[in-house]
Amino acid sequence: MGGDGRPSDGGGGGHPHQFQYQALLAAVHTQNPNNTLPFPLPPLNGPGADAPPTNSVARQPPTPRGFTDWSASTSAFTSLAVQSPPSSNATNAYHYSLSPCYAFWTHYMLNKNAYSYYPAPNQEHTHPFYHDNNQAKDLGSVPSFGFESFNTASLAPNMSAHMPPMEGPLSVKEPEIPEDVPARVVRIKDEMETRNGGELKFETLDTLPELKQDHESRATVSNTLYLHIRFTVHISVLHWVSAQLVHHYRKLIAKWQMKDGKLVREIQLRRNITSHNEHAIFLFCVHVNIQKFNSGEYQVILRKELTKSDVANVGRIVLPKKDAEASLPPLCERDPVILQMDDMVLPVTWKFKYRFWPNNKSRMYILDSTTEFVKTHGLQAGDAIVIYKNPVPGKYIVRGEKATNH
DNA sequence: GCAATTGCATGATTT
DNA sequence: AAAATCATGCAATTG
């Protein structure tokens, strides 16, 4: 396993699960040639998030700050999550004092994701989602999640549509450490609680434990960021979360345990301190995505395990006929249909050509122009593409899912 | 003419 | 056993 014949595209590393940040960045540049993003992009081949450890972290370029160079700490997320007003449109949601880039990023992401649930100020230990949570959801089919959901590499295509959002924000408290401290160790403890939909679906939020946070930090002479995260998440999210963690961090120590009928994953991460910004981005993505998973906003409509020919350089992916016909727009004519799919992780909208081939008396459904997507996410045979419905009509959300067994 | 892309057929595999 | 589905090779087409 691991990268066989793949050319090691820029982003360096050698670690098979390393996110290719230069490739990601290149894709963002490609997809936004006129820089329509509301935040400045860092230059290509800039200071990479995965750069080897440097002993002098002190001198960081003041501007531009962007995708890989957001030196603001993750406390921005804390303030975002805790102080944001409950608002259904994000246009007036920015009164807090984030660094400009964070504000841009979060603003962009929140708008992009139509992400509208916020804890009210001063309510960080209550359950802000409690009030209008349960009635609006469809209570029709109740998927039950067994443990095999994460043993197999499948993020089962039945997201619970009526799972409540997580009880608390992903509140990573970042201690106040000046950015130019050359080396340090940071310990972050973080706990996210969501209910485990299968077993606890009728439990009221009152009975669930409150969000706990405690954090400690100290500076030592080291370039390593130590991170302790404790996730208690819905089982359908676990696969995604752990896959993301594996991709983002060189070293991952994780163990599963059951606690109060819920599945808890304890994670210890070690990573170079220069990747602090990457870490922050990642945590924010996890935060947003978990909320969206739990609110039922993500619903899988198609999942395809990629074959060799899917990831070969022809740039087309054969889609399973049943799912394609069920959930993608009907193809009457031979003309391809352009499908716009927001990347689940990146601020990128992919435009795929969706078409079919006549095949015997049937059809084969093809997703075309997928080369960049596959390259950007470093997808190989055995990985998967997952397509979600998008609240925006006619659009979709797409995710590259790396295989977890290695 | 060539490289890249597109369209189709065939054989393998699954239902 | 037959039919359906799909992975893949290659021919045809395009730029």
Side-chain angles (χ1 to χ4, degrees):
Chain A
M1 51 191 73
D4 320 324
R6 303 191 73 252
S8 69
D9 35 0
H15 192 282
H17 296 299
Q18 198 165 304
F19 232 74
Q20 305 286 332
Y21 266 82
Q22 283 303 319
L24 299 187
L25 199 52
V28 174
H29 274 280
T30 306
Q31 297 270 321
N32 301 277
N34 302 319
N35 194 14
T36 56
L37 293 178
F39 53 84
L41 286 175
L44 282 168
N45 295 314
D50 285 314
T54 324
N55 284 332
S56 60
V57 192
R59 269 166 282 105
Q60 295 187 339
T63 53
R65 297 153 52 124
F67 197 55
T68 59
D69 184 30
W70 292 341
S71 302
S73 72
T74 48
S75 62
F77 294 153
T78 305
S79 56
L80 171 72
V82 171
Q83 298 175 9
S84 310
S87 165
S88 56
N89 65 3
T91 53
N92 59 350
Y94 288 93
H95 332 295
Y96 20 82
S97 55
L98 305 180
S99 77
C101 280
Y102 266 109
F104 279 138
W105 169 261
T106 52
H107 181 82
Y108 176 76
M109 287 299 286
L110 297 182
N111 277 318
K112 172 186 169 68
N113 293 322
Y115 173 56
S116 57
Y117 290 110
Y118 294 94
N122 308 319
Q123 282 189 325
E124 56 202 285
H125 285 147
T126 66
H127 303 301
F129 307 118
Y130 181 57
H131 316 287
D132 56 346
N133 187 25
N134 284 329
Q135 71 270 33
K137 306 295 186 179
D138 163 42
L139 293 178
S141 63
V142 179
S144 67
F145 295 92
F147 287 149
E148 66 274 9
S149 298
F150 65 88
N151 284 334
T152 68
S154 75
L155 191 60
N158 48 355
M159 293 295 145
S160 172
H162 47 274
M163 220 179 349
M166 55 194 284
E167 270 66 50
L170 168 58
S171 303
V172 176
K173 284 261 176 97
E174 172 72 21
E176 304 292 330
I177 302 178
E179 275 303 312
D180 53 1
V181 169
R184 64 190 184 236
V185 167
V186 180
R187 282 176 192 272
I188 300 170
K189 264 200 177 161
D190 175 33
E191 177 161 340
M192 292 191 298
E193 295 282 346
T194 68
R195 81 176 63 186
N196 193 331
E199 290 93 51
L200 303 175
K201 56 179 179 283
F202 294 120
E203 184 179 9
T204 68
L205 287 168
D206 291 325
T207 67
L208 288 170
E210 291 182 347
L211 174 78
K212 281 181 247 156
Q213 337 170 353
D214 62 306
H215 49 90
E216 42 178 315
S217 73
R218 63 199 158 87
T220 72
V221 189
S222 162
N223 272 331
T224 304
L225 170 71
Y226 287 95
L227 194 61
H228 290 245
I229 304 179
R230 199 164 102 188
F231 293 102
T232 307
V233 296
H234 188 275
I235 201 164
S236 63
V237 190
L238 275 171
H239 172 77
W240 183 83
V241 170
S242 48
Q244 292 294 306
L245 290 169
V246 169
H247 296 160
H248 278 74
Y249 296 92
R250 295 176 199 283
K251 189 157 186 174
L252 174 76
I253 306 158
K255 63 177 181 191
W256 299 99
Q257 64 181 129
M258 287 294 296
K259 205 172 176 184
D260 301 330
K262 280 174 289 190
L263 194 65
V264 176
R265 183 160 207 185
E266 298 226 22
I267 299 162
Q268 275 188 41
L269 303 162
R270 297 182 51 175
R271 147 125 267 187
N272 188 289
I273 196 68
T274 58
S275 298
H276 199 190
N277 307 320
E278 174 191 339
H279 159 71
I281 296 168
F282 159 71
L283 279 184
F284 179 72
C285 291
V286 169
H287 174 54
V288 169
N289 280 294
I290 284 183
Q291 297 242 3
K292 289 162 73 67
F293 271 118
N294 285 345
S295 69
E297 186 174 333
Y298 287 165
Q299 285 183 13
V300 176
I301 60 177
L302 185 151
R303 184 178 183 280
K304 167 78 190 288
E305 206 162 289
L306 299 175
T307 65
K308 258 162 53 176
S309 53
D310 286 330
V311 298
N313 45 15
V314 276
R316 61 191 181 195
I317 294 174
V318 177
L319 298 179
K321 182 183 173 217
K322 205 176 150 203
D323 294 335
E325 287 184 340
S327 307
L328 295 177
L331 293 175
C332 305
E333 304 298 326
R334 302 297 305 277
D335 316 320
V337 170
I338 305 293
L339 297 184
Q340 295 192 32
M341 300 195 187
D342 292 334
D343 196 290
M344 184 177 279
V345 178
L346 303 171
V348 163
T349 298
W350 305 100
K351 295 181 182 66
F352 299 129
K353 271 187 264 179
Y354 173 55
R355 53 149 56 89
F356 71 88
W357 302 332
N359 190 262
N360 297 329
K361 271 294 182 187
S362 183
R363 290 174 166 188
M364 287 187 65
Y365 289 91
I366 303 298
L367 201 61
D368 230 319
S369 315
T370 57
T371 308
E372 279 305 303
F373 172 78
V374 167
K375 246 197 299 184
T376 299
H377 289 280
L379 297 177
Q380 299 170 283
D383 301 335
I385 180 176
V386 189
I387 300 175
Y388 302 80
K389 75 163 195 189
N390 193 325
V392 179
K395 286 183 88 178
Y396 301 87
I397 298 168
V398 67
R399 176 167 75 89
E401 177 186 288
K402 297 290 285 181
T404 44
N405 45 335
H406 38 266

